Amino acid sequence: MEQERYLFVETHGCQMNDSDSGKITSLMSACNYRTTSDIGKADIVILNTCSVRDKAEHKVYSYLGTLKSYKERNPNLIIGVGGCVAQQEGERLLKRVPHLDIVFGTHNIHKLPELVSQVRRNKERVAETRFYENGLDIFPAPVFGSSSNSLKGLVNVMLGCDNFCSYCVVPYVRGREISRPSAGIVKEIEGLVSSGVKEVTLIGQNVNSYGRGLDEGTDFPTLLRKVNGINGLKRIRFMTSHPKDISDPLISSFGKLDKLCEHLHLPVQSGSDSVLKKMNRSYSSDGYLSRVQALRDLSPGMALTSDIIVGFPGETDEDFDATMGLVEKVRYDAIFSFKFSPRLETKAAGMPDQVNEGLKNERLLVLQERQREISLERNMEYEGKVVEVLVEGGGEKNHERLSGKTRSFKTVKFDGNEELVGELVQVRIEKGYVNSLIGKLV
Ligand code: SAH
Ligand code: SF4
Ligand code: F3S
């Protein structure tokens, strides 16, 4: 029998990369590579990269720097870089990093085993970053073997993005938007459920536009209905949604589908109409607020989260105030906030009136401080209420300390036996903090 080898995967970036790393581990496990969390033991190290902001891209080079000493100790070690920086840089990355063996793009994950044997056999360094016209070829099935003993699965429903928001590199590094036929999605989820998964998150850069270009005529609300019908599945989430594609049927799915959790990540990016226009987001702040209102009318307990960029080119004090005003109106449960980072190829990188770093920092701080207060207030509203929690794990130090998520995606900590992991339990919330809730089992 062939000797067992070890794979170490480091993942940066978003849910796409998390899911792609799952594909990488399952593809490599079919080639006799076991995943290890001990990098010193690895025969292959894969870094799955993100290039959405400058900081993320820098992380790649500093991480690769630390790998040099491992390669010196073990010259047989194979180092590979995948994900969005790999897609963007291709061969250049091989030139820039001499101890790197493999560069594989976002459409080339399925090629990894072949690339690894090429490196072993021919002692050559390889880069493969071509986009596939027919992206369906690159949905290897079944891809979630590695996460089959966990409670939660990430399921790709589409690839790429066609929105070309003026600041964003994703359409360039992930290619054109392609939806995956629903039968394959349902089958994959059934497989996950039979291996113990209780919750799935349907992922894509803009899941609401799911179905565009598919012959079968399934749109996103229809897909949700199909997934809701899968026996044994307890919870459904999805990510990310573009506000311009939040349709009425999608909103009404929240009232109708029992497994669909009451949380929506609906990135607004800015509260200023002129900034939104320059961002090419195709909605106004009023349009956004009316969608939020429709959601809340239907489902008052709905949790909302968002992404917000400060310091977009030309953003004035008034524009920033408009963002703060929107945050006051929506009262998000949580936000991810970022300083605008000019990205190669994108339109915004070349726009006039770039905002200086000092002002970006100032605005980010103001936004984050106010959001912390709102998040705390929102979480305190849970005090005294009984909520359903999917128990995800015991505390690392204290096994009687469990944690899990509410349907609204809040982290809850409470005391209980570890045997409850994987169960849905009722917890009475005693205290709300900025990032979590503390409660008691009912
Ligand atoms: N598809 C998702 C987001 C993907 S990127 C959507 O449309 O909402 C995740 C977040 O990174 C974005 O929502 C945006 O807030 C942020 N982001 C993207 N490009 C950025 C840039 N150049 N500078 C700062 N933040 C950026
Ligand atoms: Fe980027 Fe916009 Fe596509 Fe989201 S919708 S991935 S922000 S281009
Ligand atoms: Fe980053 Fe690529 Fe995701 S750029 S945010 S890992 S799609």
Side-chain angles (χ1 to χ4, degrees):
M1 206 184 91
E2 210 187 312
Q3 176 204 353
E4 198 161 64
R5 290 180 160 149
Y6 289 94
L7 166 75
F8 178 92
V9 185
E10 167 83 8
T11 311
H12 302 167
C14 67
Q15 69 273 17
M16 303 312 149
N17 272 7
D18 287 338
S19 141
D20 288 349
S21 288
K23 292 176 199 170
I24 289 168
T25 34
S26 88
L27 276 166
M28 294 311 291
S29 98
C31 309
N32 237 358
Y33 282 90
R34 271 177 69 166
T35 311
T36 176
S37 54
D38 174 4
I39 188 168
K41 209 165 126 182
D43 300 284
I44 302 184
V45 175
I46 298 291
L47 172 60
N48 202 358
T49 60
C50 171
S51 58
V52 79
R53 283 169 294 274
D54 194 43
K55 226 177 172 175
E57 199 174 332
H58 275 303
K59 239 167 100 181
V60 174
Y61 295 101
S62 68
Y63 192 85
L64 284 173
T66 64
L67 291 183
K68 201 171 169 196
S69 63
Y70 289 96
K71 185 93 171 190
E72 280 161 3
R73 256 173 280 158
N74 172 14
N76 290 325
L77 175 68
I78 293 183
I79 302 176
V81 174
C84 298
V85 176
Q87 185 62 48
Q88 187 183 288
E89 297 300 315
E91 296 256 1
R92 278 200 298 266
L93 207 51
L94 285 183
K95 290 209 183 87
R96 184 162 169 184
V97 186
H99 55 284
L100 181 59
D101 301 290
I102 300 174
V103 175
F104 61 106
T106 54
H107 278 200
N108 307 90
I109 292 169
H110 64 301
K111 287 266 184 176
L112 188 59
E114 202 180 309
L115 297 174
V116 167
S117 21
Q118 224 171 307
V119 172
R120 286 225 191 284
R121 213 176 37 235
N122 308 339
K123 303 264 174 265
E124 62 183 7
R125 305 166 71 215
V126 288
E128 174 94 38
T129 54
R130 82 179 176 105
F131 275 146
Y132 285 76
E133 293 287 317
N134 180 1
L136 300 181
D137 298 344
I138 58 175
F139 282 117
V143 290
F144 285 98
S146 59
S147 59
S148 61
N149 58 357
S150 81
L151 294 171
K152 305 207 273 185
L154 295 174
V155 178
N156 266 118
V157 300
M158 65 201 307
L159 296 179
C161 180
D162 284 352
N163 288 315
F164 290 93
C165 302
S166 63
Y167 50 82
C168 185
V169 78
V170 171
Y172 304 95
V173 289
R174 293 271 163 179
R176 296 290 58 74
E177 185 180 298
I178 303 160
S179 292
R180 175 185 180 187
S182 64
I185 296 171
V186 169
K187 201 165 154 220
E188 182 175 316
I189 298 175
E190 285 169 346
L192 288 171
V193 170
S194 68
S195 66
V197 164
K198 302 276 163 69
E199 174 181 309
V200 290
T201 304
L202 309 180
I203 61 169
Q205 288 299 355
N206 179 16
V207 289
N208 335 121
S209 65
Y210 172 82
R212 220 179 273 160
L214 276 183
D215 299 334
E216 61 179 274
T218 306
D219 60 6
F220 191 59
T222 314
L223 177 68
L224 284 173
R225 214 173 52 234
K226 288 185 184 182
V227 175
N228 196 65
I230 296 174
N231 275 333
L233 181 67
K234 303 286 186 210
R235 288 178 166 187
I236 305 169
R237 302 185 187 280
F238 58 85
M239 215 176 160
T240 302
S241 302
H242 195 303
K244 75 176 164 58
D245 295 315
I246 294 279
S247 63
D248 289 333
L250 179 59
I251 291 178
S252 62
S253 302
F254 280 101
K256 277 194 218 130
L257 305 177
D258 60 319
K259 294 173 188 174
L260 186 59
C261 291
E262 293 76 17
H263 166 227
L264 187 63
H265 184 61
L266 194 60
V268 70
Q269 312 298 358
S270 169
S272 150
D273 287 343
S274 84
V275 173
L276 285 170
K277 193 149 190 249
K278 285 186 222 159
M279 286 178 162
N280 191 27
R281 291 289 286 181
S282 327
Y283 54 85
S284 64
S285 65
D286 278 350
Y288 182 92
L289 288 169
S290 81
R291 299 280 80 187
V292 166
Q293 196 51 50
L295 280 158
R296 291 225 162 112
D297 285 346
L298 197 84
S299 178
M302 181 80 127
L304 281 173
T305 54
S306 192
D307 295 345
I308 293 177
I309 297 176
V310 300
F312 188 82
E315 186 187 68
T316 61
D317 285 344
E318 291 72 36
D319 293 323
F320 178 64
D321 288 347
T323 296
M324 292 302 293
L326 182 132
V327 165
E328 288 307 331
K329 282 190 192 132
V330 179
R331 292 177 58 78
Y332 289 111
D333 290 80
I335 62 168
F336 299 94
S337 47
F338 312 102
K339 290 186 282 178
F340 168 73
S341 167
R343 306 313 289 141
L344 213 76
E345 292 190 86
T346 64
K347 222 169 155 184
M351 284 182 182
D353 305 320
Q354 298 280 330
V355 176
N356 72 58
E357 213 45 31
L359 193 52
K360 283 185 197 169
N361 283 329
E362 242 172 67
R363 288 179 181 164
L364 189 68
L365 205 69
V366 170
L367 173 61
Q368 288 180 340
E369 272 182 8
R370 181 61 191 127
Q371 182 56 47
R372 270 179 77 82
E373 293 167 0
I374 296 173
S375 294
L376 177 62
E377 286 161 15
R378 298 280 294 163
N379 285 349
M380 283 168 63
E381 287 164 18
Y382 278 76
E383 290 173 4
K385 291 191 178 140
V386 174
V387 291
E388 180 199 278
V389 175
L390 175 62
V391 187
E392 287 172 24
E396 272 169 21
K397 290 188 206 110
N398 176 356
H399 294 282
E400 292 295 301
R401 192 76 174 154
L402 301 177
S403 76
K405 287 261 194 293
T406 63
R407 285 173 65 99
S408 58
F409 208 57
K410 307 272 180 190
T411 300
V412 183
K413 296 173 185 160
F414 55 100
D415 289 336
N417 194 302
E418 256 187 324
E419 283 172 11
L420 289 174
V421 171
E423 302 289 324
L424 289 172
V425 298
Q426 299 291 320
V427 177
R428 185 181 307 281
I429 302 306
E430 292 180 332
K431 196 135 180 56
Y433 294 93
V434 175
N435 295 316
S436 63
L437 308 170
I438 305 288
K440 263 209 172 75
L441 264 178
V442 177

